Amino acid sequence: MSQPMSLSALLEESKRLTTHLTSAEIPTVQRGIDLLESESRKLVARSIRDGRPLDPRGQALLSSAGVDTDRLAENTASAALLSAFEMLQPTYDANVASFLSQQQEQSIINAIEESELTTLDDFDRNMAAHMNQVWEDTQRRLFEELGQFQGSADATAAFVSSGGAHALSAPTMRVTATTHPRVERYAQVVRDLNDARVPAAVRSVAPQFNLLAGLEKATSESSLELKSKQIAQIWRLLAHYSGGADSIVAGACAYLEETFIEHVDRIVTQYPHDANVGGIPSVHRKVQGYLRVLFGRLGRVPAFLEVFNDDAIWAHMYTLYRCGYKQDLLRYALEMEDIITDSDPGFVAYLKAFVDGSPP
């Protein structure tokens, strides 16, 4: 007796039955899901016999192949083909414990989903409120920085009509008493510029007025806040660039040298005991005091620096160069030439050529 064939084996066997009929030039027809459903419905419709007997020719064919047609008819009679394509209705569990467990799980899932939606709504609302608050704070700081007008709209209109909107073109400008003090300082700079421009225009000469220096002073006097100091430094930096494109490098060097001198003075003033520079210190005394504070924070003088009479020679020369004291640097190097020559015999000669602008 042969073993029953699986569906996969039956499919492969059916494909081999037609291998001798297929041609490489003719593609194989593949039926889709929709076509299979349509054919299944037709098969169901043809299979509903309504009590009619089997076709004698089909019965004879099956009998000749050894199929018991009577038994086959009995087995297929109980098949409910009418409900093959009907929508199935869900069956509910009659177990109370299982039902309660399912309801609990569904309640937990619903609570989590509602909590997620509520959290998202709260996040959006809080984010919007935070952004509005940040925007209001930014506006307030911006108005404070630029100088917000105080008083009525008539006072502001009087400021504009009196020359505030055309300050650079009007000979003079009068600012009302309601103007913010910071605006008054800038307005005074513009008035001074106009006062210098009018006589210069009559004589056809350039006005003798440093606008950037005036703006730097007005910004420095406006507030001691860090932002105001930074703006004042920007005006100061632009003043070094005012000589044209050729002076950009020289202006940048001069600005960096001035800021480093201020840094050295600030450190020496901030730590007078550690610096120990005396009453009216010279340039070298300030540099030595600055290095004392710097190395005191480190705990020691780095081993790679040469020290002579409690003075780090190379660090001293670097600080002088960083401050722009080139002549003082050259004089110091000439005084220490015997010691410097031990480390770099040609340094002093090259330094002198660099400072004097002549080849060594």
Side-chain angles (χ1 to χ4, degrees):
M1 183 175 181
S2 61
Q3 296 293 331
M5 299 180 64
S6 63
L7 293 178
S8 300
L10 184 61
L11 176 61
E12 294 297 329
E13 187 68 21
S14 64
K15 289 181 178 180
R16 285 195 293 271
L17 291 176
T18 59
T19 54
H20 64 286
L21 301 177
T22 58
S23 174
E25 299 178 355
I26 303 176
T28 305
V29 177
Q30 298 292 340
R31 295 189 176 185
I33 299 298
D34 296 336
L35 184 58
L36 291 176
E37 181 183 1
S38 176
E39 294 296 331
S40 300
R41 291 181 181 274
K42 293 179 181 179
L43 181 61
V44 170
R46 289 198 303 267
S47 301
I48 301 174
R49 296 179 297 274
D50 296 333
R52 290 178 296 178
L54 294 175
D55 188 353
R57 291 175 297 177
Q59 187 176 5
L61 178 62
L62 293 175
S63 298
S64 62
V67 178
D68 188 355
T69 56
D70 295 335
R71 184 177 179 182
L72 180 60
E74 292 177 359
N75 292 336
T76 58
S78 60
L81 298 179
L82 290 175
S83 60
F85 291 94
E86 293 180 358
M87 297 297 296
L88 298 178
Q89 298 295 329
T91 56
Y92 297 97
D93 194 352
N95 190 340
V96 177
S98 177
F99 173 77
L100 294 178
S101 176
Q102 182 181 5
Q103 292 298 319
Q104 182 184 12
E105 293 179 359
Q106 188 63 37
S107 300
I108 294 174
I109 293 174
N110 294 337
I112 293 174
E113 293 177 352
E114 293 177 0
S115 177
E116 181 180 1
L117 295 176
T118 304
T119 302
L120 291 176
D121 293 339
D122 293 341
F123 174 80
D124 293 338
R125 184 169 55 256
N126 293 333
M127 178 58 69
H130 175 71
M131 292 179 64
N132 292 333
Q133 183 63 36
V134 170
W135 171 240
E136 292 178 358
D137 294 342
T138 304
Q139 283 182 316
R140 177 179 53 79
R141 290 195 299 269
L142 180 61
F143 290 148
E144 290 178 354
E145 183 63 32
L146 297 179
Q148 189 176 17
F149 297 115
Q150 305 293 333
S152 62
D154 295 337
T156 304
F159 166 73
V160 174
S161 61
S162 63
H166 306 282
L168 294 178
S169 59
T172 57
M173 183 178 67
R174 298 293 180 264
V175 183
T176 61
T178 58
T179 306
H180 194 278
R182 183 173 301 176
V183 176
E184 171 60 27
R185 294 187 181 94
Y186 288 108
Q188 182 61 44
V189 174
V190 177
R191 283 198 296 268
D192 294 341
L193 173 62
N194 290 333
D195 293 341
R197 288 175 65 244
V198 172
V202 174
R203 297 191 301 270
S204 299
V205 295
Q208 300 297 321
F209 183 77
N210 193 336
L211 176 61
L212 294 175
L215 293 174
E216 177 190 354
K217 181 180 179 182
T219 306
S220 302
E221 294 175 352
S222 297
S223 176
L224 297 178
E225 297 178 357
L226 177 61
K227 186 178 296 184
S228 297
K229 293 181 179 179
Q230 292 174 345
I231 296 177
Q233 291 176 357
I234 293 174
W235 291 121
R236 182 178 174 185
L237 177 61
L238 291 176
H240 286 82
Y241 290 163
S242 60
D246 296 337
S247 64
I248 290 180
V249 177
C253 291
Y255 173 77
L256 293 175
E257 290 168 356
E258 290 178 6
T259 54
F260 196 79
I261 292 173
E262 293 177 356
H263 169 70
V264 171
D265 293 340
R266 183 171 61 253
I267 294 299
V268 171
T269 305
Q270 187 175 357
Y271 302 96
H273 179 72
D274 297 335
N276 191 21
V277 296
I280 305 177
S282 63
V283 172
H284 296 286
R285 292 285 294 173
K286 285 185 179 180
V287 171
Q288 290 174 351
Y290 170 75
L291 294 177
R292 289 193 193 98
V293 176
L294 181 63
F295 295 147
R297 293 180 180 179
L298 298 177
R300 60 182 179 84
V301 179
F304 59 86
L305 293 178
E306 297 182 19
V307 179
F308 179 76
N309 289 338
D310 198 24
D311 187 16
I313 299 175
W314 293 98
H316 190 117
M317 290 190 295
Y318 169 78
T319 306
L320 288 173
Y321 179 76
R322 186 68 176 79
C323 294
Y325 299 135
K326 295 182 178 60
Q327 295 297 332
D328 296 291
L329 168 60
L330 179 58
R331 286 192 291 269
Y332 180 83
L334 292 174
E335 293 175 2
M336 300 292 181
E337 184 175 5
D338 295 339
I339 301 173
I340 296 175
T341 303
D342 295 338
S343 300
D344 191 343
F347 176 78
V348 177
Y350 284 104
L351 177 62
K352 186 175 185 304
F354 171 74
V355 174
D356 295 341
S358 59

